[in-house]
Amino acid sequence: MNSKWKKNVVLFLTTQIISVFGSALVQYAIMWHITLETKSGVAMTISILCGFLPNFILSPFAGVWADRYNRKKLIIFSDSFIAVSTLIVAVVFLLGYEAFWMFYAVMVLRAIGSAVQSPAIGAILPQMVPEDKLTKVNAVNGSLHSFVNLISPMVSGALLTLADIEIIFFIDVVTAAIAVFILLFFLQIPVHAKAAAKQTVSYFGDMKAGYQYVKGHDYLKRFFIFAAFFMFFAAPAAFLTPLQVTRTFGEDVWRLTAIEIVFSGGMMLGGLLMASWAGFKNKFHTMVLSNIIIGIATFALGIVPNFWIYLFFMAVIGLALPMFNTPSMVIIQQKVEGDYLGRVFSVMSMLSSVTMPLGMLVFGPLADLIAIEYMLVWTGILMIILSFFMWRDKVLLEAGKPIESES
């Protein structure tokens, strides 16, 4: 491993944090605009579909691209595409054309860029980081992202009260340009072996090989199945809580800001916890504990009558998420061959892109018919039950055992 790996990791994470900050400003601004203007579960469902469906459609292709081509260039291309798309929409808004459908269009274009970027980011870290340092680096990366998500709601909320939404779009364009500049001129990452070699297999042959690789690994199959069910049950807590807060506690922007701040603050603390503790010796035990905590907290969100107690349980969910995300990411990075990482991460991205929107197709329209609190109670119970089934899976427990360098 190159002795300069720490410098490369710092530069890479810096570019991601800068880019994520601008993206988070836009994401919160659009979400709150739709929530406050419509107060509709159907409108929230449409926005979620706009953000996820492009990811689902493009992920199979993006995974192959991440394995066949230079991953750094793919990240640069996707960041640039998002920036240019956002710039065009910002200029249109500035010229006075602000049709509501344009907000959905922004989400679709940004999701296209994100679909290309996600597998490349997940696959590029093992090229820079020693295997036994992956847990710490992934945890630190998660904490940095959470810190950005902690401050961005406050910044976005402040900007929305002082300026038009297109100003936030322009900020995102600037942050993306800075990130691309650093990647282009300061970060040196060797091209991975498959991208450097002559491609002897067709594009669709590579795609088929990726799915056969997943199919041939019991751990990946079982993990993806459990993850799909869990993400489906998590849809109300992930997407309908802003609507719940608006209906139950008040239509104040500060309340929407508060739930994002405490959630992101919890995630930041959870990431720091994972960076110092690294979880149980068996990584899967940490993941199951995380799922149980999230299930209990989701149940609590459906029954607490006080907004400040509600915020506490939102923070608990944020704290528990890195306890699942970090070890699951590390297990994949350690156990999947480097030439297949992009395609495996694309399958993971596809799952999240289809299961959570599928959940919203069910729970979103229901939110206009029944209380969101009922959905949170029952999905919380189902997540707890699912966690106990995961705990008893011998294949997943075996996959979670530490590698020799971690023992």
Side-chain angles (χ1 to χ4, degrees), residues 169-186:
F169 290 177
F170 282 117
I171 293 173
D172 182 40
V173 173
V174 173
T175 55
I178 294 171
V180 168
F181 180 79
I182 295 173
L183 281 170
L184 270 174
F185 297 105
F186 294 97

Side-chain angles (χ1 to χ4, degrees), residues 16 70-82 117 176 179-185 187:
Q16 294 307 296
N70 187 313
R71 289 163 181 164
K72 189 182 89 167
K73 290 183 179 179
L74 282 174
I75 295 170
I76 290 171
F77 168 78
S78 56
D79 259 342
S80 301
F81 175 82
I82 293 171
Q117 189 179 69
V180 168
F181 180 79
I182 295 173
L183 281 170
L184 270 174
F185 297 105
L187 185 62

Side-chain angles (χ1 to χ4, degrees), residues 383-403:
M383 281 190 272
I384 295 169
I385 294 172
L386 181 66
S387 299
F388 284 107
F389 279 103
M390 295 172 68
W391 188 276
R392 296 173 61 84
D393 194 294
K394 294 180 180 179
V395 173
L396 295 177
L397 287 172
E398 181 66 28
K401 290 181 178 179
I403 59 174

